[in-house]
Amino acid sequence: MSTASTRPPEGRYGRSSDERADRTLKIVGAGLAVVMLALFGWFGYHHVVKNEISGELIGFETSKTAVQVRLEVHKDAGVEGYCTVRSQAKDGAEVGRADFRFGGDDTRIDKVVTLRTTSPGTSAELLGCHAD
């Protein structure tokens, strides 16, 4: 006894609906991938190229009422801006936060700043630098 095939003969009725759906999904996926790459590129460009001031925390020393923070700031000549630094206590509570301004024509500034704290701080963290 033979069994009848449930599939139509190949090439006789055109593409199946599954093949059309797969092709549509591939086109939509490729379009979304292109859009996402363009967005990542745009955000990356503006973060790297348009950021006119950046900083790095080199080191810090703590005391009971303050934290001495050594910052190295790189900026374009003539650009003014500020860097935000914070300190936390042993339990993770924030005990100090301040903005330190940088300006002038220097493109590299190495400076020690004093961050006053409400109780002994155990860390120092550079939160970021921003141009005015």
Side-chain angles (χ1 to χ4, degrees), residues 5 36 45 72 98 103 127:
S5 174
M36 290 302 293
Y45 170 78
E72 183 177 300
L127 297 178

Side-chain angles (χ1 to χ4, degrees), residues 20-95:
R20 283 190 296 268
D22 287 347
R23 185 169 198 267
T24 302
L25 285 174
K26 286 178 184 177
I27 291 170
V28 169
L32 286 174
V34 168
V35 169
M36 290 302 293
L37 281 173
L39 281 173
F40 284 140
W42 186 77
F43 284 122
Y45 170 78
H46 281 280
H47 178 71
V48 173
V49 175
K50 296 293 184 180
N51 194 7
E52 298 168 334
I53 184 169
S54 64
E56 183 178 352
L57 191 142
I58 304 298
F60 65 92
E61 290 183 24
T62 62
S63 68
K64 290 184 180 183
T65 60
V67 177
Q68 299 285 327
V69 180
R70 182 172 169 218
L71 294 175
E72 183 177 300
V73 178
H74 297 274
K75 64 181 194 62
D76 294 340
V79 171
E80 294 190 7
Y82 62 94
C83 293
T84 304
V85 179
R86 79 170 177 173
S87 180
Q88 292 178 308
K90 191 174 185 179
D91 64 357
E94 184 174 282
V95 295

Side-chain angles (χ1 to χ4, degrees), residues 92-110:
E94 184 174 282
V95 295
R97 178 186 292 239
D99 293 333
F100 297 99
R101 300 204 57 78
F102 298 96
D105 290 331
D106 294 335
T107 58
R108 182 182 172 277
I109 302 167
D110 192 353

Side-chain angles (χ1 to χ4, degrees), residues 2-25:
S2 69
T3 59
S5 174
T6 58
R7 294 185 330 174
E10 300 236 357
R12 189 168 204 180
Y13 297 105
R15 289 184 168 169
S16 71
S17 63
D18 287 341
E19 289 174 343
R20 283 190 296 268
D22 287 347
R23 185 169 198 267
T24 302
L25 285 174

